[in-house]
Amino acid sequence: MDRSSLLQLIQEQQLDPEHTGFIGADTFTGLVHSHELPLDPAKLDMLVALAQSNERGQVCYQELVDLISSKRSSSFKRAIANGQRALPRDGLLDEPGLGVYKRFVRYVAYEILPREVDRHWYFYRHRSCPPPVFMASVTLAQIIVFLCYGARLNKWVLQTYHPEYMKSPLVYHPGHRARAWRFLTYMFMHVGLEQLGFNALLQLMIGVPLEMVHGLLRISLLYLAGVLAGSLTVSITDMRAPVVGGSGGVYALCSAHLANVVMNWAGMRCPYKLLRMVLALVCMSSEVGRAVWLRFSPPLPASGPQPSFMAHLAGAVVGVSMGLTILRSYEERLRDQCGWWVVLLAYGTFLLFAIFWNVFAYDLLGAHIPPPP
């Protein structure tokens, strides 16, 4: 029986004959068992929790409808808040007899979500379709582009030092600012094997679990916002430098996840979280330091300025601001949050400023731009 059929059955049974807006929990439970309705265990637990949190042992009809339809609304939020205290306290780690994929889903739940109620809800309602295709597709495309240029140039380390590499139509170069697609497509190009390996590893280890929990639209928005902010920040702060690599998007994902862990430290139950936090910060700081070194003290002579490191920092800022807002709203529409509109307004203001800067500031300041390759 699907969702609409269940709601129709509830209406036909006249569970609320006096139109009070509430349904007796025992009545609804009997209906579920008598018709053998395939209701998710998490939803059934939530219904019991809602009934226990009500003095009369009743469930609000609208909350029942929202729970069945998984609608993210104000009543859904109230249902989560009221039922949280009464949900079973046993953790998902104690769930026996799980297959490999379900164990991975359980791992993702504990890795990403800070509350047990959210972990239960995600674990029982998770479906393998659609799969987390965005981060996997981006990583695969970056690897393919790297291999193609490596084979073509016969250079696998520090590819940017090859004179033909920077002629790619994907690289952002200040002399090609009018070609707007370069502000995004530079994420498919990388300095060398080390940068590609670092970005690909983080995208798969952090980006895929985030996408599994929060969905393709939210994580792709966060990743692309970090990429775009990275190139635009470079065009403002390091006006002579090109940009390559997906570090803006990677740092947006990483900083958002790390900030979410810090903000919900007591509720996060991922193992060795302090050690992993320290290792992540050390690796990210080392990557930024390496980018700074390549920018100002290149080990090999080059025909022009080397790629900027400012995209890393811009991505981190996007992750802490926009990303933290996205990750804190697991079961709530973004448009229902005041903080989301504030962050979106700030990001839009930055985009408008960056566009005007690229159109007018270079000529007004007389910036000396190296000739494009």
Side-chain angles (χ1 to χ4, degrees), residues 6 8 55 80 106 128 174 202 206 212 240 245 248 254 276 302 306 335 338 357 368:
L6 176 57
Q8 182 179 1
E55 295 180 356
I80 294 293
R106 181 177 60 186
S128 58
L202 289 181
I206 296 179
M212 289 178 63
R240 301 183 69 250
C254 292
R276 295 165 63 183
Q306 288 301 293
R335 64 171 179 262
C338 179
W357 181 276
H368 176 66

Side-chain angles (χ1 to χ4, degrees), residues 172-180 182-184 186 226-244 295 306-312 314 350-363 365 367-370:
Y172 166 80
H173 190 280
H176 291 311
R177 298 190 315 281
R179 302 174 184 178
R182 291 175 178 253
F183 285 93
L184 282 174
Y186 78 92
V227 170
L228 184 58
S231 56
L232 290 174
T233 300
V234 171
S235 70
I236 296 172
T237 60
D238 199 357
M239 299 169 65
R240 301 183 69 250
V243 190
V244 296
R295 172 68 179 90
Q306 288 301 293
S308 177
F309 59 90
M310 290 301 297
H312 299 69
F350 165 74
L351 290 183
L352 290 176
F353 171 78
I355 291 173
F356 277 98
W357 181 276
N358 279 273
V359 173
F360 300 109
Y362 279 76
D363 293 332
L365 296 177
H368 176 66
I369 302 175

Side-chain angles (χ1 to χ4, degrees), residues 29-42:
T29 303
L31 178 69
V32 170
H33 292 301
S34 63
H35 289 78
E36 297 182 353
L37 301 178
L39 193 63
D40 288 345

Side-chain angles (χ1 to χ4, degrees), residues 42 50 59 95-96 144 148 164 175 181 192 232-233 248 253 259 266 295 299 371:
L50 286 172
V59 177
E95 192 85 15
I144 291 175
C148 290
E164 295 295 322
W181 70 83
L232 290 174
T233 300
L253 296 177
R295 172 68 179 90

Side-chain angles (χ1 to χ4, degrees), residues 89-103:
R89 294 300 178 182
D90 55 322
L92 292 178
L93 292 177
D94 303 325
E95 192 85 15
L98 297 179
V100 175
Y101 183 75
K102 266 300 186 180
R103 286 201 296 270

